[in-house]
Amino acid sequence: VASMRAGCNRALSEGAHIRDYDVVWIEDILGDLIVPIPSEELARMDRASYAGAFSLMKVIRDFVECCPGGGPVSSRDVGKYLKSVEIADTNMLEELKEAHGGLRTFLMERS
């Protein structure tokens, strides 16, 4: 049984009857359960970007749906297209790289 001390039923933790379980106090292992976010990821999350994830996904989806030539689309094609879409003093590809680490990471986080 895993419980917080303040929320555990006393019959489970202090009962005199024979039992085939132990109580694991979450407070005792909290340090093992909470993993700090790596500084690189934290920097990406704290950074204000011009394009949000929804906007990036919509631009990528629209490009894939309306792909010139109608054939399969490679990540290189998507990258070239995003580089051509200018926003403020940068482009969508640079925004995607800065905020999400790259196209693959961005798409894998949303699949």
Side-chain angles (χ1 to χ4, degrees), residues 8-108:
C8 185
N9 185 328
R10 293 180 88 154
L12 292 174
S13 63
E14 297 175 2
H17 59 286
I18 298 174
R19 59 181 189 213
D20 62 351
Y21 63 87
D22 285 324
V23 177
V24 176
W25 300 115
I26 294 176
E27 293 98 324
D28 295 343
I29 60 169
L30 211 50
D32 297 329
L33 296 174
I34 298 174
V35 179
I37 298 173
S39 58
E40 313 85 52
E41 188 175 339
L42 192 57
R44 280 195 328 227
M45 290 171 30
D46 287 344
R47 183 184 174 281
S49 65
Y50 294 115
F54 177 81
S55 298
L56 285 166
M57 190 60 93
K58 181 158 178 25
V59 168
I60 293 168
R61 189 197 61 156
D62 291 348
F63 172 73
V64 171
E65 285 181 351
C66 302
C67 171
V73 178
S74 70
S75 60
R76 183 179 200 146
D77 296 330
V78 174
K80 283 182 180 180
Y81 177 71
L82 292 176
K83 191 170 186 175
S84 73
V85 179
E86 295 181 10
I87 50 174
D89 59 344
T90 186
N91 60 60
M92 280 211 141
L93 180 61
E94 291 304 316
E95 281 295 302
L96 182 116
K97 287 179 178 179
E98 282 291 320
H100 303 283
L103 180 61
R104 182 178 190 279
T105 305
F106 176 73
L107 294 174
M108 291 299 287

